[in-house]
Amino acid sequence: MEERKLRDLTVSPIGLGCMGMSHAYGLPADKSEMTSLIADAVEMGYTMFDTAEIYGTDTNPHDNEDLLGAALKPYRDRVVITTKFGLTFDKSHKPGPYPLIPDSSPAKIRQAVEGSLSRLQTDHVDLYLQHRIDPEIEPEIVADTMSGLIREGKILHWGISETTEEYLRRAHAVCPVTAIQNRYSIMARWHEDIFPTLEELNVGFIAFSPLANGFLSDFYTVNSIFNPDNDYRAAMPQFNRESFEENEMLLELIRRLADEKHATPSQISLAWMLCKKPYIVPIPGTRHLCRLKENIGATDIKLSAEEVKAIDRQLDSIPMSEVFGGSKIVRTHKADS
C-alpha cells in the first residue's frame, strides 16, 4: 500500500478515526472488542489513528484517549497518533451535538498536552491539532506554543482543524503547519477553495467525516433509528426522513460508480478524494472489522483525473439535502480569566 506525505509526516493513505468508538454514535463500544479492532487495523496497514481529549462520555470525558493509549502501546513505534486540544463541551444544553467552548490559551494547551501524553501512554504526540479556532487567541500565540512543545519533544508536528486560509497563513508563518483537518466529503465540499494554499505551503489535508457521518455508505435507510440521548446522527440533517428522498440522485450516482468499479459506495466516496489530491488522507471511523477492510480497500480503486472532474461536475448539478456542518460554538472562555 502506497504511503502519503503530510508535509514531512508519512502516514497510510487512509487513517482510522476513533471518535465513534467512545463518543457521539451511541453508547461506547466494548473496549476489548475495540482493542482487537485497533490491532487488526495496524496489521492491515493503517498507521494513523485519530482521537481527541474530549472524545468521551459523561463518566469518562477522556475515554477515547484511554482506549487508544492501551490499544496502541504494543505498536507505538509503528503508528502515528493524532490527538487534539482546545475544546470543551457546553453541556447546559439538551443532549448533543453539544455546543463547543474553545480555549487555546497557552496555559490550557500545556495542561492539555500533559493529560493527553499520560492517557495515550507515550512521551510524544505525533500530530497535535488545534481542535477549533479560538477567536480570543491570536494564531501566532498558538503557533508559538506549538513551537515550544516541538522543541521540548512533547509533540513532533502540529496542525489545525476547521481552519480558514487567513488563520493558517498566520500560524504557519510562526511554526510550520504539517496538516489541517477539515470536514470533507462528497456532500461537504466547501473547503476545496483552500487547496491552492495547501499546495503553496506544502500542508496536508486530513478529511474527517469523509462519508458524511456514515450516510454515504448507503447502509442507512429512512427507517434507521438513532437515540437522541447519545447519538448525534439523530440531529444530523442528512439523516432526516425527507433527506433520503432529496439525496436519491446522489446515492444513485454513487451506486452506479460502485458498480462500474466493482466497489462499494463507501469505497467510491473515499477513492474520489484520494484520487483528487495526493495530500488528502481521509479518516473514516468504524466499530466493525468488515468496514475496516472495506475502507482500506478504497486505496485499490483508481479514478482518473478526468473521472474525478466528471464526478465533480455531476455533484455540482445534483440536488442534495443539507449535511451536518459541525457543532456550534456558543460562547468562549475569557483569555484573561
Side-chain angles (χ1 to χ4, degrees):
M1 181 166 45
E2 294 181 2
E3 296 176 313
R4 295 208 159 191
K5 286 278 193 179
L6 302 173
R7 198 171 184 85
D8 55 348
L9 178 63
T10 302
V11 297
S12 52
I14 291 182
L16 179 59
C18 299
M19 178 190 76
M21 298 176 181
S22 305
H23 175 78
Y25 291 99
L27 294 173
D30 180 82
K31 274 192 168 53
S32 62
E33 292 180 5
M34 294 302 97
T35 299
S36 296
L37 187 70
I38 289 168
D40 288 334
V42 174
E43 295 307 319
M44 282 182 208
Y46 286 85
T47 64
M48 185 167 69
F49 295 80
D50 181 85
T51 184
E53 64 171 341
I54 63 166
Y55 293 162
T57 66
D58 288 340
T59 56
N60 182 4
H62 310 299
D63 185 82
N64 204 240
E65 282 191 334
D66 287 336
L67 168 65
L68 262 66
L72 290 173
K73 190 173 183 178
Y75 315 103
R76 186 63 187 94
D77 61 344
R78 297 169 55 183
V79 299
V80 168
I81 296 177
T82 296
T83 194
K84 310 179 195 74
F85 67 88
L87 280 185
T88 55
F89 292 116
D90 181 349
K91 293 191 176 181
S92 63
H93 295 64
K94 62 184 179 180
Y98 292 114
L100 303 170
I101 305 170
D103 187 347
S104 289
S105 57
K108 190 69 172 180
I109 293 172
R110 288 193 165 274
Q111 179 186 17
V113 75
E114 295 299 336
S116 290
L117 289 172
S118 176
R119 291 185 291 270
L120 292 168
Q121 302 184 44
T122 184
D123 61 357
H124 69 276
V125 174
D126 299 290
L127 177 59
Y128 203 38
L129 291 161
Q130 183 181 18
H131 209 154
R132 291 291 184 275
I133 289 173
D134 181 345
E136 296 183 7
I137 304 293
E138 299 296 325
E140 291 83 0
I141 293 175
V142 177
D144 185 65
T145 306
M146 295 297 104
S147 181
L149 293 176
I150 290 171
R151 286 195 303 271
E152 295 164 25
K154 295 183 186 295
I155 69 173
L156 302 185
H157 306 265
W158 86 288
I160 311 163
S161 183
E162 292 289 75
T163 188
T164 63
E165 178 185 349
E166 178 190 4
Y167 192 94
L168 171 61
R169 286 187 179 279
R170 289 175 60 184
H172 184 82
V174 174
C175 182
V177 173
T178 293
I180 68 169
Q181 185 180 120
N182 285 15
R183 183 180 304 275
Y184 187 53
S185 73
I186 278 177
M187 295 185 75
R189 299 165 60 203
W190 49 76
H191 290 300
E192 290 186 341
D193 59 359
I194 205 170
F195 288 170
T197 302
L198 300 181
E199 291 161 13
E200 174 192 339
L201 300 179
N202 188 24
V203 173
F205 187 107
I206 301 169
F208 76 86
S209 296
L211 299 177
N213 307 100
F215 183 85
L216 294 171
S217 68
D218 200 22
F219 174 78
Y220 300 100
T221 71
V222 69
N223 296 315
S224 297
I225 298 174
F226 307 103
N227 185 343
D229 291 334
N230 54 33
D231 195 321
Y232 283 16
R233 288 170 294 188
M236 291 181 180
Q238 67 266 37
F239 291 102
N240 291 344
R241 293 184 64 87
E242 60 272 15
S243 294
F244 285 89
E245 183 175 350
E246 290 180 72
N247 292 315
E248 185 58 30
M249 288 182 65
L250 171 64
L251 293 174
E252 282 298 327
L253 169 64
I254 296 172
R255 291 167 190 150
R256 177 174 58 77
L257 292 168
D259 286 342
E260 290 174 1
K261 296 293 182 178
H262 306 289
T264 68
S266 291
Q267 289 173 336
I268 290 298
S269 297
L270 295 172
W272 164 80
M273 64 178 70
L274 287 171
C275 295
K276 178 170 285 197
K277 299 291 183 182
Y279 51 81
I280 294 179
V281 177
I283 51 168
T286 187
R287 298 181 176 191
H288 304 288
L289 181 60
C290 62
R291 294 295 184 187
L292 197 67
K293 294 176 179 177
E294 177 183 4
N295 291 341
I296 200 73
T299 60
D300 296 326
I301 310 302
K302 303 305 178 186
L303 299 170
S304 69
E306 285 305 314
E307 286 176 313
V308 170
K309 290 177 182 177
I311 293 170
D312 286 350
R313 286 193 295 270
Q314 292 176 82
L315 294 176
D316 288 339
S317 62
I318 286 177
M320 297 183 202
S321 74
E322 185 182 354
V323 63
F324 182 63
S327 301
K328 296 185 182 300
I329 295 177
V330 292
R331 62 187 175 89
T332 60
H333 71 102
K334 295 299 182 183
D336 57 352
S337 62

